[in-house]
Amino acid sequence: MKTKATYQTWIRIYKLLIFFGISIMLLLTALLPVHLYVRVLSGVLALPFLYITFILSYSVYQFAEFGGNYQSKIHDVLVAKVNWDGNGKVLDIGTGSGSLIIKLAKAFPMSTLAGIDYWGGNWEYSKAKCQQNAEIEGVSDKITFLKASASELPFHDDEFEVIVSCLTFHEVKDRKNKTEVIEEALRVLKPAGQFVFLDLFMDKTVFGDEKELLNTLKQRGVSELTSYKLDEVIELPTLLLNKKVLGNAMILTGRKEVIV
Ligand SMILES: C[S@@+](CC[C@H](N)C(=O)[O-])C[C@H]1O[C@@H](n2cnc3c(N)ncnc32)[C@H](O)[C@@H]1O
């Protein structure tokens, strides 16, 4: 049995390898004794692929425990935003390898917790990895891990006191309108319960206009709605603020209104 939990970073290694492979192929072509036009074209085409390979590799380093450990630090920020007495149920939507829900289990020892994820083949996370990590961290008796889609949560209305989600809504492929995925999360939140969501909410191509999103949430019965740009709550290396990494990241917190 392993003695240390391991948490994959938010960067998919297979994607990094694809960009790296294409960069190398283009660079090698630029060195071949072929027509000068082909060599120059290959060299020029290699530049954006090299740039993306560099950004992705740098991000892996900064997110990983062996580097800047920013993934864990960002999860700590989310845990710190949970304002709760710790009695009741917590849900993490898109739990990945369990890092955030395990931190919550430790921060709120009286709670019972659930982590759901779709764990598709295009990600390097798995349910088995979550369970192994929870065991190593000594919280496996408190957390249930379930395979499910964020677009259709296998829970009753009003089940959870706290719901968190980190960089998952924008990844949900089986629902085009991502606001509906957020609404599905709110469905299973108890009245007066709190949510803390981190996602690329400033990316208009995914979530539409940010102000409209906030207004929609208010109209759907969210109170105490607060938004923070990620770099307002944690100092990040400049390159992580690239739009392709966390440049559009924002935390939304709020509560589901109690209807009287
Ligand atoms: C960037 S990772 C974040 C993982 C984790 N929240 C964290 O912070 O470490 C995105 C996660 O979304 C999950 N995901 C993608 N589509 C999903 C869906 N339809 N329902 C639930 N989870 C999904 C992926 O499997 C992956 O674990």
Side-chain angles (χ1 to χ4, degrees), residues 7-12 71 74-75 78 92-101 116-126 146-153 164-175 181 198:
Y7 300 103
Q8 280 87 342
T9 75
W10 295 323
I11 307 296
R12 283 168 269 199
Q71 204 160 297
I74 290 169
H75 286 156
L78 299 182
D92 178 16
I93 298 173
T95 198
S97 48
S99 163
L100 178 56
I101 196 78
I116 72 105
D117 201 296
Y118 155 88
W119 290 303
N122 56 342
W123 282 94
E124 289 133 11
Y125 302 115
S126 69
L146 279 174
K147 185 172 171 73
S149 177
S151 62
E152 209 170 328
L153 296 168
V164 297
S165 185
C166 182
L167 294 171
T168 294
F169 297 132
H170 76 277
E171 293 287 353
V172 174
K173 300 284 183 282
D174 54 354
R175 191 66 63 92
V181 188
L198 167 64

Side-chain angles (χ1 to χ4, degrees), residues 167 170 198-203 206-207 245-246 248-250:
L167 294 171
H170 76 277
L198 167 64
D199 214 318
L200 310 177
F201 294 120
M202 289 188 293
D203 186 340
V206 181
F207 290 99
V245 191
L246 293 176
N248 283 316
M250 183 174 244

